[in-house]
Amino acid sequence: MARIEIDGELHTVQDGNNLLSTCLSLGLDLPYFCWHPALGSAGACRQCAILQYRDADDQQGHLVMACMTPVQDGMRIALTAQQARQFRRDNIELLMTNHPHYCPVCEEGGECHLQDMTLLTGHTMRRFRGQKRTHDNQYLGPFINHEMNRCIACYRCVRFYNDYAGSDDLQVFGIHNNVYFGRFEDGALQSEFSGNLVEVCPTGVFTDKTFSAHYARKWDLQTAPSVCVHCSLGCNVAPGERYGELRRIVNRYHGEVNGYLLCDRGRFGYDFVNSPKRIRKLHIAGQASCSVTMATDKFHTMLQAADGVIGIASPRASLEANFALRALVGEDNFFLGLDDSEHTLLNAIHEVMRDGGIHSPSLQEIEQADAILILGEDVTHSAPRMALSLRQAARNAAFALASKLHIQPWQDAAVRELRKQAPTPVFIASICSTRLDDIATNTWHGGPEDLARLGFAIAHNLNDAAPLPAALNEDQQALAANIARALRQAQRPLIVSGTSCSSLAVIQAAYNIARALPESAPQLAFTLPECNSLGMAIMGGKPLQQAFAAMNQGLADSVVILENDIYRRASTQQVDAFLETARHVVVIDSLQNNTTEKAALLLATATFAESEGTLVNNEGRAQRYFPVYPVTDPVRASWQWLLSVMTDSPWAHHDDLTSACAGAFPELATIVAAAPGADYTVEGCKIPRQPQRYSGRTAMHANIAVSEPGQPSDQETPFTFSMEGTTAKVPPAVLPVIWAPGWDSNQAINKFQEETGGSLRAGDPGIRLFEASGTQSWFNDIPPAFQAQPGVWKVIMLPHIFGSEELSLQSPAIAERCPAVCALLHPLDAETLAISDCDTVAIRDPSGTLIMNMPIRIEKTLPPGLLGLATGRPELQPLQSGMLVCLHKSDPLATDVSEERS
Amino acid sequence: MSQNIRPDRDFTTLKDYRRTGGYQGIRKALTELRPKQVQQLVKDAGLRGRGGAGFSTGLKWSLVPMEDDSAADIRQTRYFLANADEMEPGAFKDRLLLEQDPHQLIEGIIIGAYAIQANIAYIFMRGEYRLAAKRVAHALQEARDHSYLGEHILDTDFNLEIYLHTSAGRYICGEETALLNALQGRRSIPRAKPPFAVVSGLWGRPTVANNVETLCNVPHILHYGVDWYHSLGLGADQGTKLFGVSGRVKHPGLWELPMGTPIREIIEEHAGGMQDGYRLRGFLPGGASTDFLLPEHLDVLMDYDAVAKAGSRMGTGTIIVLDDQTCPVQMVLNLEEFFAQESCGWCTPCRDGLPWTVTLLKDIVAGRGRMEDLYTLAGLTRMLGPGHTFCALAPGAMEPLQSALKFFREDFERYIIGNSATREPA
Amino acid sequence: MNLTTDKSTFAGLTAQEIQQIEAIIDHYEDNNAVAVEALNIVQKQRHWISDQCLCAVAELLQISRTHLESVATFDNLIYRQPVGNTVIHYCNSVTCWMLGSDRVCEHLCQRLNVQPGEVSADGEFTILPIVCLGACHHAPVALVGDDLKLALTEDSIDEILGVKHRG
Ligand SMILES: Cc1cc2nc3c(=O)[nH]c(=O)nc-3n(C[C@H](O)[C@H](O)[C@H](O)COP(=O)(O)O)c2cc1C
Ligand code: SF4
Ligand code: FES
């Protein structure tokens, strides 16, 4: 701690920080551009100038850039001194010489950091009489608009894109005041994190293209705190709505999870909510129309008439919805609705997390790791935001060296310069090359069995008691020893694994390694398939195959399927048989899919944007999301549909369900505290979802009816669908919008943090459900090495950020970035089959039946004998990980992938 | 330093260089002195950087962490750089040293590299110096052939390789830390200081960069000793310096003279005074990024402190003469166009302030100026002053402007009032 | 370091270019540092760097082409547009300006019937301004190809152009 004097007042502040960050942490208004809490200092924009005095007697002081000046005990500085204010105003004047003066038509207007800072400095008069320089813009793909004329050359975009996110297709070109930030040529930005440019850019050079397509001002968006539903990490998001349509997603800062940044799937996947595939009507098979009453009656009678009702749960629905289903059908009839192997894996992961005694790290903790082993995951594709955290962790050795050399950690470029001299040990053992290979000190590729075997070998190296795989070759032994050494030497070693390889052995090996690490507080992070996968595993339920069996055996004759396309979970034949056998099929979902087509009663449900619920992320953090806007008739939240047919239910409200769920499962006991309940008020008022400047409330529906409609009421959450009330002091879990006086952009977040980049005041939202406790015995089940068999290939499904996830795939922008379906094959295998890149192969089952034709991409890092395919693509539904198939070069004409499908 | 530079000779070969005492300095350094002693010697000699900033060379060398304790294993590699990017308008001293006596530079580098125990050195040369590049490359090969470079130089344990790096050029590449980036194949943007290059330079390793002329002093200091070197300077500073004069003087040129030679002597004796029909109106004592001085400053001594006291900087020591028939406003416009074009584009005041400066000056010269523009210009000179920008380019750019506004104000005003009386440059 | 196995054809670079580039790779800690010199080498024969050349160099060095472009567009002497066989860089910095660089440029332009930056009709010359060439005591000066030409006058300029035209 240091004592410093700012504008005559004494403050006690953190040592080792820079003055800009310190001043912002103290809540002072100091303008800046190039500095960003995640990116550190660059010193380029010169906007954060303050006066520093030499000593107590110095009256003059000299200008310094706050972001480049370390805090020193006893120092005296001034933000408000005339000279400093003048400089900051003049600096903005310079930035504005080329900046267009068209805020009213600029998309950034109203949430523009440049606008905020310009007002803050008081630059109001333009003296520059010259011409503004102009630029052409580029096509950057479906996510991002480019408007270079707005650029103020703060260099944040390239620092984020290249240095922070590790992609290299965005750069700065040219020199002096003719610098251009763009790509070598037009084309989609390749980074999976490109959407952050929208928020990193302090003005409107990079804007959200999907938002442009249905634009509204920030102050006209209705917002509520939400959680991303597109992977298991649970990044906090702030969706915005206008006119009953979800317009965009922006980041909602969370100190422990996503920090300032999201992945592109999380940011641009939202449009599924507006999709034409959205189910907006209720449907009873064979009837032309269906009202809410008809639907509930029908549902009711079906249940009454049923002789045993199977409930199929959903890893993409909330705990509450699933719990309601479980209450409706009873524990015995409650099935998780996961594919079999996934079910096993999730159970294993849940057990390890609960009883394994190993800490499950938050993303923030992952960033602190000083040695990393990734076992079997291509993290960028299975848990994208985590990849960004791992990339930062790879800098930790450089930070350590920097500290020895007295280089401040926020001197970003200087620390990066040390990267090569001080590499953090990062080992990636994966099926084939990954998007993080560039940060890896070693990469190694193998099939799931071999990855597991390597893992077991590492564990054995760390602790003799851990079982040793038989018949390891010398390379593997050496590698295992090498990895073990690095992990042992680390202070904060981290193992990352997950469900991507569909291998229990991989998960068990990952646990063995963590367990074998001595007292160094190892951390074990798992990536899971969906946003509530872990919640489902905790709740527990039977495997889907048993539901099929139960139906077959006549133990039940009806089924209620909650937000789950079970065609994604089992073979078409099985699901067909199951649904055909069922007397009643009730499906509750929001988007049309193969399962909803089979529904006798189809109940339209709200998406995450129109409903509330609790999700458990991969770390074991329960987080609440809230409806951003009211659901439109006849759509209901899933939990409401389910409650509506439970005649003797003691529960009327969502909060009741949350409490009941917490009561029913000891592990979920604390979920109630994830966010305040519906009775929470601030100064007697509910929390407004609409900003105070929200426009058109009385008139926006005038095309429908001229009388002013009443505001929809919200009984279920602490929010109102209006602008009355205050958001200034609400706890982070229910903070709808980031705004502070003078700070219209999302960068106002510093007014809500304990310190810049730190936790939110009153604590980061969410409740962690597990603390490391207990220990499990060594897993001993070591698989034999994978042996490629001639003529037979083993299917391995690989996740992809764009395309593997069901909901986001229905967002047009995501679909556009979705790679063409193809199969990966090792060059030797391609040679055997006499095929080359882009040729088509016929994939047959071992009996010779054609499953489909598929173009091939040769991938030299894929182990021979494996056939790599993208997870979750509807076209590939007949294929599953682990399946054995035969391949033949196909007739060049046979390109229809679904042809001849039996 | 210039003993081998003769107009009548092509350039100095290794043989010529050795004949006049060449490569004696490294013999002394490598065989008789320890690195620290070499550093001390150069520090004692009082050699100050000739690249413009005038920082003590020996002191710079001594700041390199040598036997680093904590991180010894990874801090072994050190680099030594010769800054041959000379691009300051009006400066033409390094080119001559490079073209005429490359071995002198090589010897200086070997000594410097030995002093900080660097095993790799680079000569960073601007791309336009084609002849210099050829000759330096030739000399490097000669030096290699005679075992002045490579392994076990002079049968000692010291190894050194010197590589010539030809840039594709920008003025900013000459800035010490921008040079590091340029050499690493990046955009030549300056780096934040601290950390200083001596701690974390090329690829994050301890690095020393010296100007060509600075290094050319070093062999002689080693060979002839500190006392001899001290005996050369006339004023407060030690040794000799290459001084040059360009502009409308009778004999523009470059001379090696004692540090502290009066400016009058340089301009009037060595350069032969003004050409017939021209009178001296002022001069930039050390290249484009120094403040104007006036005829009344002619008796100032050319050493760092004396010129500073007169209100300017010795900079590169190459004087640009402003005659009475060249318009100072247009001259400043030319200079500012140079700086605006060479701004690296990193920091706001320089990137956007210099183009505005140019716009204002152009307006003034074109008769569109307003009186308040002079106020704006003065504001800009403060705005772009030392410490306000990321590197010293912009403050340097403001030096001629701020002094011109002071000394030649009537010339600016005359444009604005509307009677441009000064002649177009002939 | 050996970057390619088949030296004769790498993305359109000549064997000689590749060999020259490979010869300097060992001088540096990483390939990025070779970037500018590699471009210089390639530009020597081809006079300018086309998109294709730039990509070839990036590929050869296994560095990002975007990064390479970023550097190439920063630097002054990398021509990303076609230039004549000989580039005439006339100095327009302060001393040369004072002593008539504008007239040098004007005369050159008029003789070759081009504007600065354009290629003369015969493909021989391009005129470009350049910053101080370090020969201020001989102002005005120009770098003609690899040769520094001092104390330019209209006559000496004609001679330079003439010589070039003949030889
Ligand atoms: C914009 C700018 C350009 C510079 N150009 C050169 C240059 O071309 N040559 C040079 O030796 N120093 C140049 N310098 C000075 C260097 O930064 C550095 O101080 C010098 O190379 C150190 O060498 P010395 O200590 O031997 O003078 C420049 C500085 C600035 C700010
Ligand atoms: S002052 Fe700023 S923009 Fe100018 S050259 Fe230096 S760093 Fe670049
Ligand atoms: S924020 Fe400090 S210089 Fe940009």
Side-chain angles (χ1 to χ4, degrees):
Chain A
M1 285 301 196
R3 300 266 288 164
I4 65 173
E5 187 189 314
I6 306 176
D7 292 324
E9 273 191 50
L10 277 173
H11 297 269
T12 306
V13 300
Q14 290 283 336
D15 272 326
N17 219 333
N18 63 67
L19 286 174
L20 171 58
S21 178
T22 302
C23 290
L24 294 173
S25 295
L26 290 170
L28 303 171
D29 286 340
L30 181 56
Y32 61 91
F33 293 108
C34 65
W35 177 85
H36 183 285
L39 305 178
S41 299
C45 74
R46 317 309 277 179
Q47 192 55 53
C48 60
I50 57 169
L51 230 44
Q52 180 180 1
Y53 301 99
R54 242 171 289 280
D55 48 42
D57 302 327
D58 184 4
Q59 291 306 309
Q60 279 229 286
H62 58 284
L63 271 184
V64 294
M65 297 308 136
C67 72
M68 300 301 273
T69 313
V71 164
Q72 273 164 350
D73 197 31
M75 79 194 311
R76 267 180 74 210
I77 57 169
L79 271 55
T80 54
Q82 165 61 20
Q83 195 194 338
R85 283 172 41 204
Q86 181 71 44
F87 182 89
R88 298 197 297 257
R89 187 179 314 148
D90 290 350
N91 202 56
I92 289 261
E93 178 176 32
L94 293 177
L95 285 174
M96 296 302 291
T97 53
N98 284 307
H99 190 80
H101 283 63
Y102 61 19
C103 303
V105 299
C106 171
E107 276 171 80
E108 196 77 1
E111 56 179 326
C112 175
H113 186 65
L114 176 61
Q115 209 174 34
D116 290 350
M117 298 299 108
T118 304
L119 290 171
L120 208 58
T121 59
H123 163 64
T124 48
M125 261 283 296
R126 182 173 173 79
R127 292 185 293 169
F128 178 71
R129 302 194 298 271
Q131 292 233 315
K132 290 175 186 178
R133 58 109 182 82
T134 55
H135 292 292
D136 289 338
N137 301 318
Q138 286 181 320
Y139 167 77
L140 299 179
F143 297 153
I144 303 286
N145 277 324
H146 196 214
E147 182 50 70
M148 258 307 291
N149 289 345
R150 298 175 187 153
C151 179
I152 56 163
C154 69
Y155 290 82
R156 266 191 188 180
C157 57
V158 286
R159 289 176 57 227
F160 166 74
Y161 200 89
N162 298 293
D163 299 344
Y164 194 94
S167 288
D168 66 5
D169 62 312
L170 182 81
Q171 257 298 354
V172 49
F173 308 110
I175 186 173
H176 45 82
N177 75 337
N178 185 29
V179 282
Y180 187 90
F181 297 80
R183 295 187 82 248
F184 184 78
E185 61 202 352
D186 280 22
L189 289 167
Q190 293 301 299
S191 168
E192 292 81 3
F193 305 97
S194 67
N196 295 301
L197 291 173
V198 172
E199 289 183 64
V200 163
C201 172
T203 172
V205 177
F206 301 99
T207 53
D208 179 339
K209 199 178 214 168
T210 68
F211 183 37
S212 300
H214 43 213
Y215 179 76
R217 291 285 176 200
K218 178 182 181 180
W219 66 74
D220 279 343
L221 290 171
Q222 183 159 254
T223 311
S226 194
V227 175
C228 179
V229 294
H230 302 295
C231 88
S232 65
L233 298 179
C235 293
N236 285 203
V237 294
E241 172 267 1
R242 181 80 176 167
Y243 293 118
E245 191 185 0
L246 189 57
R247 298 297 174 96
R248 69 158 177 194
I249 295 271
V250 291
N251 183 66
R252 183 164 67 96
Y253 181 86
H254 190 295
E256 296 272 319
V257 184
N258 46 298
Y260 295 86
L261 306 162
L262 295 175
C263 80
D264 285 356
R265 178 154 96 195
R267 187 180 297 268
F268 302 111
Y270 71 90
D271 232 357
F272 78 90
V273 171
N274 310 314
S275 153
K277 284 200 176 170
R278 190 62 201 280
I279 303 167
R280 297 188 188 276
K281 289 204 181 96
L282 311 176
H283 181 69
I284 297 174
Q287 290 190 14
S289 69
C290 174
S291 68
V292 173
T293 330
M294 284 163 71
T296 4
D297 288 349
K298 175 82 182 170
F299 196 177
H300 209 87
T301 39
M302 275 179 163
L303 290 171
Q304 301 273 292
D307 189 6
V309 183
I310 285 173
I312 294 188
S314 168
R316 59 171 160 87
S318 67
L319 287 178
E320 288 85 352
N322 281 301
F323 178 71
L325 177 66
R326 187 174 177 275
L328 181 72
V329 299
E331 190 182 344
D332 281 349
N333 285 328
F334 186 67
F335 298 84
L336 288 195
L338 305 169
D339 105 30
D340 252 26
S341 111
E342 185 183 324
H343 193 106
T344 317
L345 300 182
L346 284 178
N347 280 341
I349 288 173
H350 172 219
E351 271 172 40
V352 160
M353 287 180 77
R354 189 187 54 207
D355 305 326
I358 309 286
H359 181 68
S360 148
S362 67
L363 293 185
Q364 163 62 26
E365 287 167 319
I366 285 176
E367 284 189 22
Q368 310 308 318
D370 59 352
I372 298 166
L373 168 66
I374 302 174
L375 193 64
E377 289 293 315
D378 185 350
V379 182
T380 311
H381 290 302
S382 58
R385 178 63 184 79
M386 188 193 286
L388 209 47
S389 295
L390 289 166
R391 188 173 285 285
Q392 310 320 309
R395 301 181 63 204
N396 283 331
F399 278 118
L401 175 58
S403 135
K404 277 188 196 161
L405 299 173
H406 308 292
I407 297 173
Q408 306 281 354
W410 37 263
Q411 281 285 11
D412 187 58
V415 178
R416 288 186 190 282
E417 207 58 72
L418 303 173
R419 212 13 233 292
K420 279 226 177 89
Q421 285 179 62
T424 307
V426 177
F427 303 95
I428 303 182
S430 56
I431 304 282
C432 56
S433 67
T434 75
R435 292 281 279 156
L436 282 177
D437 288 359
D438 62 305
I439 60 161
T441 39
N442 279 71
T443 59
W444 190 81
H445 305 300
E449 298 85 349
D450 296 297
L451 296 172
R453 289 164 59 78
L454 177 69
F456 282 113
I458 297 166
H460 177 80
N461 257 285
L462 290 165
N463 185 334
D464 283 347
L468 173 69
L472 280 181
N473 67 33
E474 262 175 42
D475 284 356
Q476 283 165 313
Q477 282 174 24
L479 180 64
N482 185 7
I483 298 175
R485 195 174 321 114
L487 293 175
R488 191 187 292 115
Q489 282 166 3
Q491 253 126 56
R492 298 174 304 280
L494 168 71
I495 322 295
V496 177
S497 189
T499 52
S500 298
C501 328
S502 302
S503 162
L504 186 61
V506 165
I507 287 161
Q508 294 177 336
Y511 174 73
N512 272 14
I513 300 169
R515 195 191 148 187
L517 279 166
E519 277 78 66
S520 50
Q523 311 192 93
L524 179 55
F526 289 110
T527 71
L528 314 172
E530 281 164 274
C531 63
N532 205 16
S533 292
L534 189 59
M536 285 291 79
I538 295 172
M539 194 171 276
K542 296 180 177 172
L544 186 58
Q545 291 295 333
Q546 289 184 20
F548 299 163
M551 184 70 73
N552 246 338
Q553 292 158 14
L555 299 176
D557 69 350
S558 299
V559 53
V560 180
I561 302 173
L562 172 67
E563 302 187 42
N564 198 338
D565 177 7
I566 56 174
Y567 281 94
R568 291 171 68 92
R569 317 281 181 178
S571 76
T572 311
Q573 294 91 321
Q574 280 188 315
V575 179
D576 279 346
F578 174 63
L579 295 178
E580 273 154 31
T581 315
R583 198 146 64 92
H584 304 297
V585 177
V586 183
V587 179
I588 307 176
D589 215 337
S590 55
L591 290 179
Q592 291 160 17
N593 57 41
N594 291 337
T595 305
T596 60
E597 272 175 36
K598 296 288 169 72
L601 172 61
L602 179 57
L603 300 173
T605 187
T607 63
F608 78 103
E610 306 130 327
S611 62
E612 51 285 279
T614 309
L615 302 172
V616 183
N617 78 353
N618 73 314
E619 163 203 1
R621 179 185 296 269
Q623 304 189 99
R624 187 85 34 83
Y625 61 92
F626 297 96
V628 176
Y629 55 108
V631 79
T632 38
D633 243 15
V635 185
R636 296 274 184 279
S638 298
W639 65 267
Q640 283 172 320
W641 284 122
L642 293 162
L643 283 198
S644 72
V645 290
M646 290 161 67
T647 38
D648 48 356
S649 149
W651 311 311
H653 292 290
H654 188 262
D655 281 351
D656 303 337
L657 270 178
T658 312
S659 308
C661 183
F665 305 94
E667 280 178 77
L668 299 176
T670 49
I671 60 167
V672 176
D679 54 0
Y680 179 85
T681 55
V682 185
E683 293 164 11
C685 291
K686 297 194 107 188
I687 303 162
R689 285 179 172 91
Q690 298 167 351
Q692 291 186 342
R693 288 179 292 166
Y694 193 80
S695 60
R697 180 168 103 187
T698 56
M700 62 196 294
H701 301 290
N703 61 331
I704 303 159
V706 288
S707 60
E708 181 187 337
Q711 289 307 108
S713 72
D714 184 348
Q715 313 277 306
E716 307 301 335
T717 76
F719 296 95
T720 66
F721 294 107
S722 77
M723 61 252 253
E724 287 81 17
T726 168
T727 57
K729 292 194 196 100
V730 303
V734 286
L735 183 64
V737 69
I738 303 305
W739 181 86
W743 296 73
D744 286 336
S745 87
N746 228 2
Q747 311 209 23
I749 190 66
N750 68 55
K751 303 285 183 192
F752 298 87
Q753 295 163 321
E754 293 285 357
E755 56 179 332
T756 57
S759 58
L760 290 164
R761 289 206 197 112
D764 288 311
I767 296 288
R768 277 184 56 108
L769 302 178
F770 305 104
E771 286 316 325
S773 70
T775 177
Q776 286 203 329
S777 46
W778 301 110
F779 290 107
N780 280 308
D781 223 352
I782 303 177
F786 172 65
Q787 299 286 341
Q789 298 163 40
V792 179
W793 279 264
K794 189 167 154 186
V795 170
I796 180 95
M797 302 303 275
L798 304 165
H800 194 281
I801 178 170
F802 306 125
S804 288
E805 195 268 327
E806 188 184 354
L807 299 177
S808 57
L809 189 54
Q810 300 307 324
S811 293
I814 299 280
E816 200 176 325
R817 290 283 282 117
C818 190
V821 176
C822 69
L824 307 183
L825 211 53
H826 187 269
L828 286 176
D829 289 343
E831 208 178 300
T832 316
L833 292 164
I835 54 171
S836 38
D837 238 359
C838 301
D839 278 353
T840 303
V841 291
I843 305 177
R844 297 175 193 277
D845 69 17
S847 70
T849 316
L850 181 67
I851 303 174
M852 64 181 71
N853 285 298
M854 178 72 54
I856 287 295
R857 214 188 74 215
I858 292 173
E859 171 57 56
K860 58 181 190 297
T861 62
L862 185 80
L866 295 182
L867 182 72
L869 289 158
T871 310
R873 299 292 289 271
E875 308 90 313
L876 300 180
Q877 214 261 309
L879 293 163
Q880 278 156 16
S881 257
M883 216 164 141
L884 294 177
V885 294
C886 303
L887 301 177
H888 302 280
K889 183 172 182 169
S890 28
D891 175 350
L893 298 174
T895 44
D896 176 6
V897 291
S898 59
E899 194 194 37
E900 276 186 65
R901 190 151 101 196
S902 52
Chain B
M1 229 185 325
S2 56
Q3 59 181 339
N4 293 319
I5 302 179
R6 307 258 164 71
D8 57 327
R9 196 165 52 206
D10 211 12
F11 72 107
T12 321
T13 62
L14 185 90
K15 229 162 81 197
D16 304 330
Y17 183 62
R18 277 210 295 219
R19 213 173 8 240
T20 55
Y23 288 117
Q24 292 305 310
I26 58 162
R27 190 165 298 284
K28 170 105 188 262
L30 268 62
T31 59
E32 292 173 28
L33 299 173
R34 278 178 292 118
K36 285 273 178 208
Q37 290 174 308
V38 177
Q39 295 175 3
Q40 192 58 43
L41 197 74
V42 174
K43 206 189 288 183
D44 293 343
L47 174 61
R48 295 176 66 174
R50 307 295 198 232
F55 192 77
S56 158
T57 304
L59 180 59
K60 191 191 280 189
W61 296 1
S62 71
L63 293 174
V64 174
M66 296 288 286
E67 290 97 29
D68 198 341
D69 33 288
S70 50
D73 42 334
I74 35 183
R75 306 299 293 171
Q76 289 301 342
T77 313
R78 294 181 204 92
Y79 290 107
F80 196 91
L81 309 177
N83 186 343
D85 193 59
E86 184 172 67
M87 228 184 270
E88 171 103 355
F92 50 98
K93 59 192 186 67
D94 296 342
R95 184 173 62 83
L96 271 96
L97 291 168
L98 292 160
E99 286 180 2
Q100 302 292 327
D101 202 1
H103 282 290
Q104 179 173 251
L105 171 66
I106 291 168
E107 186 177 3
I109 295 174
I110 299 172
I111 295 167
Y114 174 75
I116 65 156
Q117 291 291 293
N119 302 112
I120 294 180
Y122 297 98
I123 301 173
F124 184 94
M125 188 159 347
R126 68 179 287 196
E128 293 86 346
Y129 281 4
R130 309 269 154 93
L131 183 63
K134 231 163 69 188
R135 290 185 176 170
V136 168
H138 178 87
L140 282 172
Q141 196 50 50
E142 277 187 317
R144 240 170 251 137
D145 294 345
H146 288 80
S147 303
Y148 290 120
L149 291 176
E151 311 236 306
H152 302 296
I153 298 169
L154 301 182
D155 295 324
T156 66
D157 284 345
F158 183 60
N159 309 327
L160 176 70
E161 199 39 83
I162 303 181
Y163 299 117
L164 172 66
H165 178 102
T166 35
S167 135
R170 275 298 175 185
Y171 172 57
I172 191 63
C173 298
E175 200 277 344
E176 186 169 320
T177 57
L179 188 147
L180 301 172
N181 280 337
L183 197 48
Q184 284 180 231
R186 310 227 187 100
R187 291 166 65 80
S188 189
I189 309 285
R191 294 183 183 174
K193 298 161 274 258
F196 294 96
V198 286
V199 173
S200 178
L202 205 55
W203 291 291
R205 304 181 195 276
T207 303
V208 162
N210 276 122
N211 169 258
V212 166
E213 186 188 348
T214 311
L215 291 171
C216 288
N217 277 278
V218 171
H220 308 289
I221 294 174
L222 266 285
H223 190 186
Y224 299 106
V226 167
D227 293 340
W228 167 83
Y229 193 73
H230 282 179
S231 73
L232 300 176
L234 293 179
D237 284 308
Q238 318 301 343
T240 57
K241 167 92 189 75
L242 294 182
F243 291 116
V245 181
S246 70
R248 285 211 170 82
V249 287
K250 285 210 182 78
H251 309 297
L254 188 72
W255 312 274
E256 179 174 4
L257 300 169
M259 204 43 132
T261 303
I263 294 174
R264 182 184 299 282
E265 180 188 329
I266 301 174
I267 294 182
E268 292 184 355
E269 287 177 28
H270 299 281
M274 298 301 289
Q275 285 176 16
D276 295 339
Y278 294 92
R279 278 190 304 122
L280 179 69
R281 184 111 194 259
F283 56 91
L284 301 171
S289 53
T290 56
D291 282 276
F292 276 102
L293 292 179
L294 298 176
E296 67 196 60
H297 297 116
L298 277 174
D299 294 316
V300 169
L301 305 186
M302 271 296 241
D303 67 40
Y304 293 98
D305 299 338
V307 182
K309 232 166 94 195
S312 186
R313 288 188 307 119
M314 195 177 72
T316 56
T318 42
I319 300 167
I320 307 168
V321 163
L322 167 69
D323 59 76
D324 60 339
Q325 290 167 44
T326 298
C327 167
V329 183
Q330 292 191 35
M331 177 169 169
V332 171
L333 170 59
N334 174 277
L335 292 170
E336 298 311 328
E337 280 181 317
F338 164 83
F339 288 113
Q341 175 194 311
E342 296 303 312
S343 162
C344 79
W346 178 248
C347 70
T348 307
C350 173
R351 180 190 61 239
D352 291 336
L354 287 171
W356 191 9
T357 307
V358 168
T359 311
L360 286 166
L361 289 170
K362 273 188 177 157
D363 275 358
I364 290 173
V365 168
R368 294 191 298 266
R370 303 177 188 170
M371 270 309 171
E372 67 258 30
D373 292 350
L374 298 184
Y375 173 82
T376 309
L377 281 172
L380 282 163
T381 62
R382 286 189 296 274
M383 178 79 199
L384 277 63
H388 297 182
T389 54
F390 194 77
C391 82
L393 183 142
M398 289 300 105
E399 291 187 18
L401 174 60
Q402 73 195 13
S403 46
L405 282 169
K406 193 163 69 190
F407 296 143
F408 311 119
R409 190 164 188 95
E410 68 282 13
D411 294 76
F412 288 87
E413 288 176 355
R414 210 173 301 136
Y415 275 115
I416 295 172
I417 301 165
N419 57 2
S420 148
T422 34
R423 250 183 54 187
E424 287 283 294
Chain C
M1 196 201 280
N2 235 349
L3 289 176
T4 66
T5 36
D6 180 5
K7 296 202 178 192
S8 54
T9 54
F10 184 85
L13 297 181
T14 67
Q16 195 197 4
E17 286 166 338
I18 292 169
Q19 190 210 331
Q20 285 179 15
I21 294 172
E22 284 186 343
I24 54 171
I25 281 181
D26 285 345
H27 296 184
Y28 303 98
E29 272 192 37
D30 68 26
N31 280 4
N32 257 332
V34 186
V36 172
E37 286 186 304
L39 290 175
N40 276 335
I41 288 167
V42 172
Q43 187 169 270
K44 194 158 268 165
Q45 296 306 317
R46 302 165 191 257
H47 305 299
W48 68 291
I49 302 287
S50 64
D51 284 0
Q52 194 204 352
C53 276
L54 186 115
C55 293
V57 170
E59 208 176 316
L60 178 72
L61 294 175
Q62 291 152 20
I63 61 174
S64 147
R65 64 172 185 174
T66 317
H67 176 85
L68 189 60
E69 173 74 338
S70 175
V71 175
T73 55
F74 185 94
D75 281 347
N76 214 358
L77 294 179
I78 304 297
Y79 313 123
R80 288 290 278 113
Q81 269 161 30
V83 292
N85 294 337
T86 304
V87 179
I88 303 180
H89 281 293
Y90 73 96
C91 169
N92 67 350
S93 288
V94 62
T95 306
C96 286
W97 166 82
M98 226 186 302
L99 297 174
S101 65
D102 286 350
R103 272 176 320 163
V104 169
C105 173
E106 225 167 86
H107 189 72
L108 281 165
C109 287
Q110 183 216 324
R111 273 298 136 95
L112 295 173
N113 195 21
V114 289
Q115 289 300 304
E118 294 172 358
V119 184
S120 61
D122 57 0
E124 219 19 72
F125 293 104
T126 294
I127 306 165
L128 286 170
I130 190 82
V131 298
C132 180
L133 286 167
C136 319
H137 51 323
H138 300 297
V141 301
L143 184 68
V144 179
D146 284 347
D147 302 327
L148 190 59
K149 300 288 182 189
L150 307 176
L152 295 173
T153 60
E154 300 200 348
D155 288 346
S156 68
I157 291 172
D158 288 346
E159 197 182 321
I160 291 163
L161 296 181
V163 166
K164 276 287 168 188
H165 270 304
R166 273 199 308 278

